[in-house]
Amino acid sequence: MKKVLVSILAFILCAVFCSCTAMNIEDANGEDTALCSITEEDILSGKLGSTLFGSSRVTLNDNTTYSVKKMSGVLILETIKSSNKDTVFTLTLTPELISGNLRILLLGDGELVTDFPLDKATTFLLDNPECKYELVVAGESAEFSVKYTITEKDYVKEDLPEHKK
């Protein structure tokens, strides 16, 4: 009985470890940090999952730091949806790519809103209180960290970019 149990456990562990390496997407374009295997269609469809190794998320007050030792695939970091029609959000994001290929983007109701540059901090106003926003990371053998803050404030028409001149 013990031999059968040990054999089943060994088989399950082999299957788990093999499935983890099967999802790894190699960085095939060297120093170029652009994605080479994952397409925009893969990202927008939401059908491609992700494999992560050594990930951590730390949130203190409104500041979140998400770090990964190795990631391949597409991951939704955060979903942002207002429960109140009188609020908007400000997203401030600072990425750090250590190795691999990475793309960080914002989707609004499943459509591409913006890509975030990987080399600087960016602040973006999420000004449609009826929209469901998703902060998405797509990576190919990527080691990275991303720090972000999402703040909510009352919707004031004069605060929107088109009214500031």
Side-chain angles (χ1 to χ4, degrees):
M1 181 67 177
K2 282 186 177 182
K3 287 183 180 181
V4 173
L5 213 51
V6 169
S7 297
I8 291 172
L9 183 59
F11 177 76
I12 291 172
L13 287 173
C14 282
V16 168
F17 288 126
C18 289
S19 69
C20 288
T21 58
M23 179 57 181
N24 185 46
I25 302 170
E26 291 300 320
D27 174 5
N29 57 354
E31 294 298 314
D32 187 356
T33 60
L35 299 176
C36 58
S37 298
I38 299 173
T39 65
E40 190 163 309
E41 182 180 319
D42 292 332
I43 296 168
L44 296 177
S45 73
K47 294 179 183 175
L48 186 62
S50 61
T51 299
L52 302 159
F53 171 75
S55 67
S56 70
R57 178 189 304 258
V58 177
T59 302
L60 184 59
N61 298 326
D62 291 334
N63 302 307
T64 300
T65 301
Y66 187 77
S67 301
V68 176
K69 288 290 183 194
K70 191 169 190 179
M71 177 198 159
S72 289
V74 178
L75 175 70
I76 297 172
L77 279 184
E78 200 76 47
T79 301
I80 308 154
K81 176 76 174 145
S82 178
S83 58
N84 182 348
K85 303 281 189 242
D86 296 326
T87 59
V88 295
F89 295 93
T90 301
L91 169 64
T92 302
L93 181 130
T94 306
E96 179 188 4
L97 177 61
I98 298 158
S99 65
N101 302 330
L102 185 68
R103 185 174 177 194
I104 302 174
L105 44 114
L106 183 69
L107 303 181
D109 290 333
E111 299 293 322
L112 179 63
V113 175
T114 192
D115 272 283
F116 292 98
L118 298 179
D119 57 350
K120 65 179 182 177
T122 307
T123 299
F124 194 83
L125 180 66
L126 293 82
D127 59 359
N128 183 350
E130 296 179 11
C131 186
K132 176 182 140 188
Y133 294 98
E134 293 172 314
L135 180 59
V136 177
V137 176
E140 298 165 347
S141 296
E143 180 179 356
F144 68 94
S145 71
V146 61
K147 297 175 184 173
Y148 61 94
T149 304
I150 301 168
T151 54
E152 187 174 6
K153 64 185 250 179
D154 290 337
Y155 177 83
V156 179
K157 190 173 183 178
E158 291 73 30
D159 287 344
L160 299 179
E162 64 268 12
H163 293 284
K164 290 185 175 183
K165 296 195 184 201

